[in-house]
Amino acid sequence: MQKLDSSMMDFEERLEIDDFESEVMERIYSKPLLIKRVNTTSQIAIVGANVCPVESLDYEVPENELVNEDWRSRRTVQIFQYILLKWAFALIIGLSTGLVGIFNNIAVENIAGFKLLLTTELMLKHKYYKAFAAYAGCNLGLATSAAALCAFIAPAAAGSGIPEVKAYLNGVDAYSILAPSTLFVKIFGSIFGVAAGFVVGKEGPMVHTGSCIASLIGQGGSRKYHLTWRWLRYFKNDRDRRDLITCGAAAGVAAAFRAPVGGVLFALEEAASWWRSALLWRTFFTTAVVAIVLRGFIQLCSTGTCGLFGQGGLIMYDISAAKVVYSTPDILAVILLGVIGGILGSLYNYLVDKVLRTYSIINERGAAVKILLVIMISLLTSICSYGLPWLATCIPCPADASTSCPNTDVSGNYKSFQCPPGHYNDLASLFLNTNDDAIRNLLSTNTVKEFHISSLFIFFVAVYCLGIITYGIAIPSGLFIPVILAGSCYGRLVGRLFEPISELDVGLFSLLGAASFLGGTMRMTVSLCVILLELTNDLLMLPLVMLVLLISKTMGDMFNKGVYDQIVKLKGLPYMEAHPEPYMKHLIARDVVTGPLITFSGVEKVGNILHALKNTGHNGFPVIDEPPFSDAPELCGLVLRSKLLVLLKGKAFSKDMVLAGNKVLSKISELDFAKAGSGKGLKLEDLDIQEEEWDMYVDLHPIANTSPYTVVETMSLAKAAVLFRELGLRHMCVVPKSQGRPPIVGILTRHDFQPEHILGLYPHIRFQQ
């Protein structure tokens, strides 16, 4: 082993941050960023945020003797099987995600429907206190069940899961985010949470659900739960799993919104950090399967065989009946919608960030406190949903109502609540409905006077605030529906205000308001545009939706980042941004390399390898050939910790320092290096190396990646960051520019590109655009 760059100052000393530096960093990132760097390749922790130790994923396909031999030995039938399995898995992911989406919707509609029917029946009998007790009691029981699942079985299932999926596809392997237990809690916790009346959606968790299904299939099942299939060993690598999880994320969006094209674009624009044309075709095929499954079950349930499951079960807000005619005042109103939507969206993101920071401190106190917090938010939501409609006045039923007024079934535009016959309560029609049905009521066309302006304002303020304080509690919760709900209410409110001079229907204003709010919070454009058009079945609204999305995103970007990007940062996940920070242009790769660097010889002593694995947390080690194996020291490749453990377990040792490639290949095959399921990989404690074997030698050439990605030490750090992200790397070797020096200067990992690390090294750096 060699230790290079010994002149570097001690690593912990270089990361000490004084009071002035902390103040600078807090001003820039709005949170404490004191870093405790555990090691240069595997872990990072940020004080003051809810973080977990994370590993990076090996998306790079290594080139070594073992891999080459494996591909040479494969027959045509095996290659065909490998390609066929990719498409078969895409089919299975689409079928499974579609079925889960149907199950979620049927369960929510029937559970929430029973609760609302019971409340309505008691209201009709003028038993108002019993109605509230029944309504709040059902909500409380469902909310507690969802919180208990999250707190005791899978804490990683809380939230929407989209930030975690984004981080995984970026190369971050956070603990248990795609585990089978997370999938179980995500499905049932989401059902209970949405049915409990929280201002959350089941659509965001569907993205996480689809990704969990894809991960479970890609790793051949679960060893922990004794559900494994050995014939799926072809996909025991991070690269193929990444492609499958990308398909799963797209399938989740397609199942949630009945938007297959929008699902593909969501995965391309928001989720995936790496894309190629072959993946586009498989993702499109997966979402098409989801659409077919949903369509089949819609026809089946239309016969009344799914209980209370009706139009509200699967989102479809058909506004195509409205006449799309707009003039100059309407364009000005749309621009105003975009501007205000961007401002409200950025404020929403800011407040969500503050609430999440507060909840992270509260949730650290244990499972009981998590459940107690959920109970408090549930009671507050029930009080608002049942109490605020009492502030509204009863409205006479319209003479030309296309549906019964007032209605006493589960959903509908005209809720009776406390009103006399022939009247309805417009606020109750929004609060005492599922979130999907409330959005449908707000998007209803040709119903200009259905909701009072005061009722729309009360509902908007309530939903806006409840959505902020609800996200972050220990239940699976999506952000899409709360944002669409608040945005459509805000849009309809603006439509009512512009009614004297506008030609657009108020239902179309609701759609544009939802688009503006989505653009202001999510900061997506193309995928949101297509999802909304697929939801509403009105292609004529395309120009206005595009305009409002562009304006709201631009306005929002002036204040802060998108909500998912903020949550990724808050969770402490070392996410690689698409665009490097401006100050990276003023640094070079050598400036952030830290040491000491541990390297191995091409033929290394077993004891040296064990010592390095035991005393460091590094996951990548450069392999350097020296005489007599080369004329001068040269970089032979890079070997991973996981591969070293497998090699040592195989005990392909020799007493002499000689090349033993064929001997290694005869004892170990490529399948031995297949990645196991989450947390099931080989550990150092699993090795049984005798003391006399410590002085023996092992040839690292067969398992070393002989063509690692390298950059010269003088390369701009910004350019290196772009290469690192675009290529999906875990390690980037930094080589010297001049000859006569050791063949490698150091290794860059994703943590070396994080602002916290760079600012810890150079706290006084000037931030120039």
Side-chain angles (χ1 to χ4, degrees), residues 64 460 510:
N64 55 42
F460 170 73
S510 293

Side-chain angles (χ1 to χ4, degrees), residues 462-659:
V463 169
Y464 191 91
C465 297
L466 286 175
I468 291 171
I469 65 173
T470 302
Y471 192 82
I473 61 177
I475 63 169
S477 52
L479 280 171
F480 269 100
I481 291 303
V483 171
I484 293 177
L485 190 60
S488 57
C489 182
Y490 146 72
R492 194 176 184 98
L493 179 60
V494 173
R496 287 295 305 275
L497 296 176
F498 275 81
E499 180 187 349
I501 61 173
S502 174
E503 299 181 15
L504 274 179
D505 190 281
V506 290
L508 302 182
F509 267 105
S510 293
L511 170 63
L512 295 173
S516 71
F517 211 177
L518 282 169
T521 54
M522 310 294 180
R523 310 296 163 79
M524 294 179 282
T525 52
V526 180
S527 56
L528 283 181
C529 182
V530 174
I531 289 173
L532 289 173
L533 292 178
E534 288 184 288
L535 274 176
T536 56
N537 193 30
D538 194 348
L539 192 60
L540 295 176
M541 289 294 293
L542 175 62
L544 296 182
V545 173
M546 292 174 64
L547 177 63
V548 78
L549 280 171
L550 288 171
I551 294 174
S552 61
K553 180 186 183 304
T554 304
M555 286 298 302
D557 286 338
M558 294 172 62
F559 297 99
N560 50 33
K561 293 185 177 181
V563 63
Y564 294 132
D565 294 325
Q566 287 188 346
I567 295 173
V568 167
K569 195 73 176 178
L570 183 64
K571 288 180 176 291
L573 301 174
Y575 185 84
M576 290 288 295
E577 300 287 350
H579 304 287
E581 297 289 346
Y583 55 80
M584 290 186 179
K585 299 177 182 178
H586 308 290
L587 298 172
I588 60 175
R590 182 182 57 209
D591 292 336
V592 297
V593 169
T594 53
L597 179 67
I598 307 298
T599 67
F600 293 134
S601 298
V603 180
E604 187 60 82
K605 271 190 176 183
V606 174
N608 291 343
I609 299 176
L610 288 173
H611 179 78
L613 294 178
K614 181 179 180 181
N615 292 282
T616 70
H618 300 357
N619 284 296
F621 301 90
V623 178
I624 296 179
D625 270 342
E626 297 177 326
F629 302 109
S630 63
D631 297 333
E634 62 180 26
L635 179 62
C636 173
L638 187 76
V639 64
L640 298 179
R641 169 184 286 264
S642 58
K643 297 188 181 298
L644 286 173
L645 291 173
V646 175
L647 184 64
L648 294 177
K649 188 174 179 63
K651 293 190 175 183
F653 305 150
S654 61
K655 294 183 178 180
D656 300 319
M657 191 176 179
V658 295
L659 296 175

